[in-house]
Amino acid sequence: MNTTQTYTPQEDGAHSDGSKIPYSATCYAEQKDKVILENAYLTKEEIVKACQLVEASGADYVKTSTGFASTGAILEDVKLMRASVSPKMEVKSAGGVKNLDMLLAFMDAGVKRSGASAAAAMLDEFKERFGA
Protein backbone atom coordinates (compact mmCIF):
# COMPACT_ATOMS: atom_id res chain seq x y z
CA MET A 1 0.00 0.00 0.00
CA ASN A 2 1.26 3.44 -0.82
CA THR A 3 1.51 4.85 2.72
CA THR A 4 2.18 8.35 1.40
CA GLN A 5 -1.27 8.41 -0.15
CA THR A 6 -2.75 7.01 3.05
CA TYR A 7 -1.29 9.97 4.91
CA THR A 8 -2.07 12.56 2.23
CA PRO A 9 -4.89 11.54 -0.13
CA GLN A 10 -4.99 13.42 -3.39
CA GLU A 11 -7.85 13.94 -5.83
CA ASP A 12 -6.85 10.85 -7.79
CA GLY A 13 -5.47 8.89 -4.84
CA ALA A 14 -6.93 6.74 -2.09
CA HIS A 15 -10.49 7.78 -1.20
CA SER A 16 -12.83 6.66 1.53
CA ASP A 17 -14.64 4.36 -0.90
CA GLY A 18 -11.35 2.66 -1.81
CA SER A 19 -12.10 3.00 -5.51
CA LYS A 20 -8.60 4.11 -6.44
CA ILE A 21 -6.51 2.64 -3.66
CA PRO A 22 -3.03 1.97 -5.05
CA TYR A 23 -1.62 -1.52 -4.83
CA SER A 24 0.35 -3.80 -7.03
CA ALA A 25 -1.18 -7.10 -8.04
CA THR A 26 -1.65 -9.25 -11.09
CA CYS A 27 -5.28 -10.26 -11.29
CA TYR A 28 -6.14 -13.75 -12.48
CA ALA A 29 -9.42 -15.48 -11.72
CA GLU A 30 -7.72 -18.16 -9.61
CA GLN A 31 -5.43 -15.80 -7.70
CA LYS A 32 -6.13 -13.71 -4.62
CA ASP A 33 -5.20 -10.05 -4.30
CA LYS A 34 -3.48 -8.91 -1.12
CA VAL A 35 -2.42 -5.50 0.07
CA ILE A 36 0.53 -5.13 2.45
CA LEU A 37 0.15 -2.31 4.96
CA GLU A 38 3.53 -2.11 6.79
CA ASN A 39 1.82 -1.55 10.15
CA ALA A 40 5.11 -0.49 11.76
CA TYR A 41 4.70 2.89 10.09
CA LEU A 42 0.98 3.38 10.83
CA THR A 43 -0.98 4.51 13.86
CA LYS A 44 -3.84 2.33 15.12
CA GLU A 45 -6.32 4.71 13.47
CA GLU A 46 -4.44 4.50 10.17
CA ILE A 47 -4.44 0.69 10.36
CA VAL A 48 -8.23 0.72 10.74
CA LYS A 49 -8.66 3.21 7.87
CA ALA A 50 -6.26 1.30 5.64
CA CYS A 51 -8.00 -2.03 6.29
CA GLN A 52 -11.36 -0.50 5.40
CA LEU A 53 -9.95 1.03 2.21
CA VAL A 54 -8.35 -2.27 1.23
CA GLU A 55 -11.62 -4.12 1.68
CA ALA A 56 -13.53 -1.47 -0.27
CA SER A 57 -11.01 -1.82 -3.11
CA GLY A 58 -12.05 -5.44 -3.62
CA ALA A 59 -8.79 -7.06 -2.51
CA ASP A 60 -9.02 -10.48 -0.87
CA TYR A 61 -6.36 -10.11 1.85
CA VAL A 62 -4.85 -7.41 3.97
CA LYS A 63 -1.36 -8.23 5.25
CA THR A 64 0.50 -6.86 8.28
CA SER A 65 3.93 -6.30 6.74
CA THR A 66 6.60 -7.41 4.31
CA GLY A 67 8.83 -8.47 7.19
CA PHE A 68 11.42 -5.82 6.32
CA ALA A 69 10.10 -2.98 8.52
CA SER A 70 11.23 -2.33 12.10
CA THR A 71 8.46 -4.63 13.37
CA GLY A 72 6.42 -7.29 11.70
CA ALA A 73 3.18 -8.91 12.76
CA ILE A 74 2.01 -7.89 16.22
CA LEU A 75 -0.93 -9.71 17.78
CA GLU A 76 -2.64 -6.48 18.86
CA ASP A 77 -2.49 -5.17 15.27
CA VAL A 78 -3.81 -8.44 13.85
CA LYS A 79 -6.80 -8.31 16.22
CA LEU A 80 -7.42 -4.68 15.22
CA MET A 81 -7.20 -5.56 11.53
CA ARG A 82 -9.59 -8.49 11.93
CA ALA A 83 -12.08 -6.26 13.77
CA SER A 84 -11.82 -3.58 11.06
CA VAL A 85 -12.98 -5.71 8.13
CA SER A 86 -15.88 -8.02 7.37
CA PRO A 87 -15.65 -11.80 7.77
CA LYS A 88 -15.19 -12.23 3.99
CA MET A 89 -11.92 -10.27 4.09
CA GLU A 90 -8.84 -12.28 5.07
CA VAL A 91 -6.01 -11.08 7.29
CA LYS A 92 -2.47 -12.37 6.78
CA SER A 93 0.34 -12.03 9.29
CA ALA A 94 3.95 -11.82 8.21
CA GLY A 95 7.23 -10.75 9.70
CA GLY A 96 7.94 -11.72 13.27
CA VAL A 97 5.98 -14.98 13.41
CA LYS A 98 8.83 -16.85 15.05
CA ASN A 99 7.35 -19.95 16.69
CA LEU A 100 4.34 -22.22 16.87
CA ASP A 101 2.81 -20.49 19.89
CA MET A 102 2.86 -17.15 18.07
CA LEU A 103 1.35 -18.73 14.98
CA LEU A 104 -1.45 -20.34 17.01
CA ALA A 105 -2.15 -17.01 18.74
CA PHE A 106 -2.44 -15.30 15.34
CA MET A 107 -4.75 -18.06 14.12
CA ASP A 108 -6.92 -17.61 17.22
CA ALA A 109 -7.10 -13.90 16.31
CA GLY A 110 -8.49 -14.76 12.87
CA VAL A 111 -5.43 -15.13 10.65
CA LYS A 112 -5.79 -17.86 8.02
CA ARG A 113 -2.41 -17.34 6.34
CA SER A 114 0.91 -16.43 7.84
CA GLY A 115 4.36 -15.85 6.46
CA ALA A 116 7.15 -17.25 8.59
CA SER A 117 10.78 -18.02 7.89
CA ALA A 118 10.68 -20.68 10.65
CA ALA A 119 7.84 -22.66 9.03
CA ALA A 120 9.76 -25.96 8.95
CA ALA A 121 10.59 -25.74 12.67
CA MET A 122 6.97 -24.86 13.45
CA LEU A 123 5.73 -27.89 11.54
CA ASP A 124 8.16 -30.14 13.41
CA GLU A 125 7.01 -28.70 16.74
CA PHE A 126 3.37 -29.13 15.72
CA LYS A 127 3.99 -32.81 14.94
CA GLU A 128 5.70 -33.31 18.31
CA ARG A 129 3.00 -31.55 20.30
CA PHE A 130 -0.08 -32.80 18.49
CA GLY A 131 1.12 -36.08 16.95
CA ALA A 132 -0.04 -35.17 13.47
Side-chain angles (χ1 to χ4, degrees):
M1 172 174 229
N2 183 332
T3 54
T4 303
Q5 284 192 333
T6 302
Y7 290 122
T8 56
Q10 299 174 5
E11 286 301 311
D12 61 348
H15 295 280
S16 62
D17 68 355
S19 61
K20 294 185 179 181
I21 191 167
Y23 67 95
S24 176
T26 304
C27 298
Y28 297 99
E30 65 278 353
Q31 290 189 336
K32 302 282 186 181
D33 293 330
K34 72 179 171 205
V35 177
I36 305 168
L37 298 185
E38 287 300 0
N39 288 350
Y41 306 119
L42 303 176
T43 66
K44 301 304 179 198
E45 294 80 17
E46 290 166 335
I47 291 171
V48 170
K49 177 184 174 185
C51 286
Q52 292 167 344
L53 288 170
V54 168
E55 183 167 23
S57 78
D60 302 292
Y61 280 87
V62 61
K63 183 177 168 183
T64 58
S65 69
T66 59
F68 296 106
S70 58
T71 61
I74 296 172
L75 186 58
E76 178 185 355
D77 289 350
V78 167
K79 289 178 180 179
L80 181 63
M81 292 169 73
R82 180 71 268 160
S84 300
V85 295
S86 72
K88 70 177 185 167
M89 184 74 173
E90 300 293 342
V91 176
K92 181 177 180 180
S93 60
V97 184
K98 299 186 184 312
N99 58 52
L100 181 60
D101 289 330
M102 287 181 76
L103 176 61
L104 294 174
F106 285 125
M107 292 173 69
D108 285 343
V111 167
K112 293 193 177 173
R113 291 188 183 196
S114 188
S117 58
M122 285 186 226
L123 288 171
D124 290 341
E125 184 178 353
F126 183 88
K127 288 176 191 176
E128 285 179 28
R129 285 167 65 177
F130 300 106

